[in-house]
Amino acid sequence: MPVKKTSSAPPEAITAYDKLIASNPNIERKGATMPYTSLNGNMFSLLTPTGAMILRLSEKDREEFNKKYKMGVVIQYGAVMKEYVEVPDSLLKKTKDLEKYLQLSYEYAKTLKPKATKKNNI
């Protein structure tokens, strides 16, 4: 029987991320090794292997978030993730405060063009 892979993110970050995602019944957590959420094939949140959470936000919401939390450009695997913000560790632990931004991210994902799905034709 194959061994199920688990996230390499710190356990406390996974717990905080799962608690946040569970706060919204419309959002489903996906990914065993790298937890994320998506809608219509568009990812809108992610917990990185280092335990950093990133959210996809509209330009207006991104600017406000980065100004309020003094965060900058998000870079993952050497690439700039243009529509994303990194959530400060202190905010990740504050589910109630972060719920607003998760909802904004979810609402923004609804406006994105659905991505084509890849189906295995077996």
Side-chain angles (χ1 to χ4, degrees):
M1 182 178 273
V3 175
K4 185 177 180 181
K5 291 185 178 182
T6 58
S7 176
S8 59
E12 61 275 6
I14 296 169
T15 299
Y17 183 77
D18 285 345
K19 183 178 177 184
L20 174 66
I21 302 307
S23 73
N24 189 324
N26 297 315
I27 301 174
E28 176 188 354
R29 177 202 190 259
K30 300 175 183 179
T33 59
M34 193 175 294
Y36 72 97
T37 59
S38 67
L39 183 65
N40 297 323
N42 292 294
M43 184 176 71
F44 63 93
S45 81
L46 168 71
L47 187 66
T48 70
T50 62
M53 181 182 171
I54 58 176
L55 285 171
R56 190 177 205 169
L57 295 171
S58 69
E59 183 175 3
K60 176 181 165 275
D61 293 334
R62 257 191 332 273
E63 288 173 5
E64 289 175 7
F65 185 93
N66 284 333
K67 185 176 181 182
K68 181 174 183 174
Y69 294 103
K70 298 177 177 49
M71 301 302 283
V73 176
V74 175
I75 299 174
Q76 287 293 310
Y77 301 102
V80 173
M81 296 186 72
K82 296 177 184 177
E83 295 186 315
Y84 291 84
V85 296
E86 184 171 339
V87 174
D89 290 339
S90 59
L91 182 59
L92 179 57
K93 297 171 187 165
K94 298 177 182 174
T95 303
K96 280 290 179 205
D97 295 342
L98 193 50
E99 284 176 3
K100 167 189 170 185
Y101 295 105
L102 178 64
Q103 185 62 34
L104 288 171
S105 184
Y106 177 67
E107 293 299 325
Y108 180 60
K110 287 181 182 179
T111 70
L112 301 173
K113 182 179 176 184
K115 288 191 175 180
T117 58
K118 296 178 185 175
K119 292 197 176 197
N120 242 348
N121 295 329
I122 298 176

